[in-house]
Amino acid sequence: MEYSVEMSNKLNELLTRTYDAEKGFKEAAEHVDNPIFEKFFMTRAKQRYEFGHELKSEIKTFGQNPDKGGSAMGTLHRNWMNLKSYFNSNNDEAMLSEVERGEKEAVNTYDDILNDKDFVLPPSTESILMRQRNAIKKTLDTAKIYERAVS
């Protein structure tokens, strides 16, 4: 099965979001007081690092070139997290809220690709995307639980 340029672009968009998420989780870990949340964020940063390698490998498998960096939007989001933590008296809640927002966007991006009827995903790609999407959904659910606990 041959990847189209559109498929390559979509997977590279996911890869860029994965880079952004990894950096965002590291940033969030630096702004929380609770060691449980710090560990949660660092574990998710490592997970996104691994997701990135899976996506890069899958993109290369089909002869395409993976992107190498994050996005301007990701940088803006991390800067917003920094500003928010500076003015917010509850950094843990602020960071969890931002993670929740980012994870919702990530799930939507995965869903858009998985549900796109314009092309059929190769089984290997679909499997990777489903597994990663489900892991992100679990992160979102956990962040919501944590946020309720600190609010």
Side-chain angles (χ1 to χ4, degrees), residues 21-22 24-26 28-30 32 34-48 92 95-100 103 135-147:
E22 178 188 355
F25 279 119
K26 286 178 182 176
E30 293 175 9
V32 292
N34 186 318
I36 292 171
F37 299 155
E38 181 180 2
K39 182 179 179 185
F40 171 71
F41 292 142
M42 289 307 293
T43 301
R44 293 320 179 267
K46 183 176 186 263
Q47 177 189 60
R48 296 313 155 81
D92 293 353
M95 292 302 103
L96 288 163
S97 176
E98 288 304 309
V99 164
E100 186 178 332
E103 294 300 82
I136 293 168
K137 181 75 172 96
K138 285 181 185 177
T139 297
L140 175 59
D141 293 343
T142 302
K144 287 178 182 179
I145 291 167
Y146 285 161
E147 187 179 13

Side-chain angles (χ1 to χ4, degrees), residues 3 11 19 26 31 35 42 45 58-59 64 86 92 94-95 101 107 118-119 123-124 128 137 146:
Y3 264 19
L11 289 182
Y19 293 142
K26 286 178 182 176
H31 293 290
M42 289 307 293
E58 188 70 5
I59 292 166
Q64 302 297 318
Y86 180 75
D92 293 353
M95 292 302 103
R101 189 168 67 88
V107 168
D118 289 337
F119 52 83
S124 61
I128 289 169
K137 181 75 172 96
Y146 285 161

